[in-house]
Amino acid sequence: MSELFSLVAELRRPRLLIRAARAGLQEYNRNRDLKRLTRLADAPSPDRALRLLIEEEARIEATRKAGEAGYSLSRHIELLIAMMGELRLLPRPNGA
């Protein structure tokens, strides 16, 4: 699980995206939001959810960097919010 913390810690995204995600974190509702973001019937465990969210966020980040018209700023922020919310649910690795 510490690899998930490392993956998220190594992300480098524009400051405005991160600030927007932090601002929206208070409104995060995992039962409502995860079902929509992961397109699953039930919310998965936090570690499984985080893995799925990291994969999807990487895809949308590539779309953003390529300047493609299909990029959705709101979806990107929603994914970052969910990643932050799920990360908070994971047990901290030793030394963190």
Side-chain angles (χ1 to χ4, degrees):
M1 217 167 299
S2 64
E3 79 273 3
L4 291 174
F5 282 94
S6 297
L7 283 171
V8 174
E10 293 171 3
L11 289 178
R12 297 294 172 250
R13 301 298 181 254
R15 187 176 300 153
L16 190 56
L17 275 175
I18 299 303
R19 287 177 61 192
R22 284 185 183 143
L25 192 54
Q26 291 177 331
E27 300 299 319
Y28 178 64
N29 177 318
R30 84 180 307 268
N31 290 323
R32 176 194 65 210
D33 300 333
L34 271 183
K35 288 178 188 178
R36 184 174 39 79
L37 291 170
T38 61
R39 297 179 180 102
L40 297 173
D42 295 314
S45 65
D47 63 323
R48 172 96 169 102
L50 192 53
R51 291 175 198 282
L52 293 170
L53 293 166
I54 288 170
E55 289 175 14
E56 180 64 19
E57 194 277 336
R59 281 191 286 277
I60 205 163
E61 174 66 4
T63 303
R64 180 188 74 80
K65 283 186 167 183
E68 295 178 17
Y71 173 70
S72 171
L73 176 63
S74 60
R75 180 156 176 87
H76 200 169
I77 293 170
E78 289 173 338
L79 287 165
L80 291 169
I81 290 169
M83 288 169 60
M84 290 176 183
E86 295 303 305
L87 194 62
R88 288 182 172 184
L89 298 175
L90 295 177
R92 293 276 174 203
N94 294 338

